[in-house]
Amino acid sequence: MHATTRTVDVSKYLLLTVGALTMLTPLIWMVLASFKTLPEILAFPPTLLPEQVNLDNYHAVFETADFVRYFFNSVVIAAISVVSVLLTSSMAGYAFAKFSFPGRDALFVVVLATLMIPFQVRVIPLYVLASDLSLLNTYAGMVLPTLVDAFGIFLMRQYMMSIPSELIESARVDGAGELRIFVSIVLPLAKPALSALTIFTLVMSWESFLWPLLVASTPDMYTLPLGLAQFAGRFLNRTDLQMAAATMTVVPLLIVFLLMQKRFIEGMATTGMK
């Protein structure tokens, strides 16, 4: 019986390993190709490891495009979006999970219903709003669609429902105000969900292309996806430079995920999502 169980476990791990390697193969090839010369990338049969680590691709990318500015813009926009979404989602999620008020359930259904509306449907009204408020080609305009996130509200509400209401009531009996309860009790207990939401929001903001393309009218406001698209168009036949530029765009997200993966997994598990 034990031998059969172990065989099944080994088979599962092998299957998961094969699946993980399959998913990671394009990423691994991209990173390794960024250190190769163009003839080595185009060689047949292809090779995985570079014959010699070559940093000239990265030097050429920085010399031919303002990726430092693109990176700065992406960081600013992502930081504003993450802070805003964490604040609004945690407050709204706490209200929906722990407060009773008329129309609460109906309002929550309305919030969830907005998840059914594609961004492409909302982009024209958002653009008109940004234009009327003179927010085009500004950081405020770039972050306008990502200040509040319905999915974040849903995620935080689901997690905060698992926080014991008795703990909150005890704090109220001891004389703690609602703000202190929220900051000192609810938020520390919701760290796993906040970490998961941070990664989701960061990825969404970092990879956003359509909205920045519409709002940014000058190269100094370009984000990394816009800069990468422009760079790829200029160097269509330079696969080595494209791989270096793409690697610089992806690596920051990988670093953030590796730093927060424990809380991310914990947050996803405890919210009941699969």
Side-chain angles (χ1 to χ4, degrees):
M1 185 68 178
H2 292 291
T4 303
T5 303
R6 290 178 181 177
T7 302
V8 172
D9 291 339
V10 171
S11 300
K12 289 181 179 179
Y13 280 116
L14 288 176
L15 182 62
L16 290 173
T17 301
V18 172
L21 290 176
T22 303
M23 296 294 293
L24 290 174
T25 296
L27 177 64
I28 295 173
W29 186 89
M30 178 188 71
V31 175
L32 294 177
S34 68
F35 295 103
K36 296 180 180 179
T37 61
L38 183 60
E40 189 177 356
I41 293 176
L42 301 178
F44 186 84
T47 58
L48 180 62
L49 298 176
E51 296 178 358
Q52 185 176 0
V53 176
N54 178 29
L55 298 178
D56 293 340
N57 295 335
Y58 291 93
H59 295 158
V61 168
F62 281 110
E63 290 176 356
T64 55
D66 194 4
F67 267 86
V68 174
R69 180 68 183 184
Y70 304 155
F71 182 83
F72 176 79
N73 291 339
S74 292
V75 170
V76 171
I77 293 169
I80 296 174
S81 299
V82 168
V83 171
S84 177
V85 167
L86 290 182
L87 179 62
T88 56
S89 297
S90 59
M91 294 177 67
Y94 178 52
F96 282 123
K98 297 302 180 182
F99 286 87
S100 296
F101 52 88
R104 181 191 66 176
D105 295 337
L107 182 58
F108 184 65
V109 171
V110 171
V111 172
L112 290 182
T114 61
L115 293 173
M116 305 294 292
I117 305 175
F119 178 73
Q120 290 79 3
V121 176
R122 296 180 285 126
V123 70
I124 295 178
L126 283 170
Y127 183 84
V128 173
L129 177 62
S131 178
D132 292 342
L133 296 176
S134 300
L135 298 180
L136 297 180
N137 206 43
T138 64
Y139 288 126
M142 299 280 271
V143 301
L144 181 62
T146 58
L147 294 178
V148 180
D149 183 31
F151 173 76
I153 296 174
F154 168 74
L155 182 68
M156 295 307 300
R157 185 251 189 188
Q158 293 301 106
Y159 186 89
M160 289 182 178
M161 287 183 66
S162 66
I163 298 177
S165 299
E166 293 79 6
L167 186 62
I168 298 174
E169 292 298 332
S170 299
R172 289 172 180 162
V173 171
D174 291 339
E178 294 299 334
L179 181 60
R180 183 175 181 182
I181 293 174
F182 179 71
V183 174
S184 302
I185 298 177
V186 175
L187 288 184
L189 293 175
K191 283 183 179 180
L194 290 172
S195 299
L197 184 57
T198 297
I199 293 178
F200 282 130
T201 307
L202 178 61
V203 172
M204 178 183 64
S205 176
W206 198 267
E207 296 181 346
S208 179
F209 182 82
L210 177 59
W211 181 252
L213 179 64
L214 295 174
V215 176
S217 56
T218 57
D220 63 300
M221 288 299 298
Y222 283 2
T223 57
L224 279 172
L226 290 182
L228 181 60
Q230 184 189 53
F231 183 84
R234 289 172 56 194
F235 298 94
L236 189 61
N237 298 322
R238 292 298 304 273
T239 307
D240 51 343
L241 301 185
Q242 292 184 30
M243 293 302 102
T247 299
M248 290 190 298
T249 303
V250 172
V251 164
L253 288 180
L254 293 178
I255 294 175
V256 172
F257 176 76
L258 291 175
L259 293 176
M260 302 179 65
Q261 62 175 327
K262 182 178 179 180
R263 289 194 178 276
F264 172 76
I265 296 173
E266 181 181 352
M268 294 306 299
T270 51
T271 50
M273 298 183 62
K274 297 184 180 179

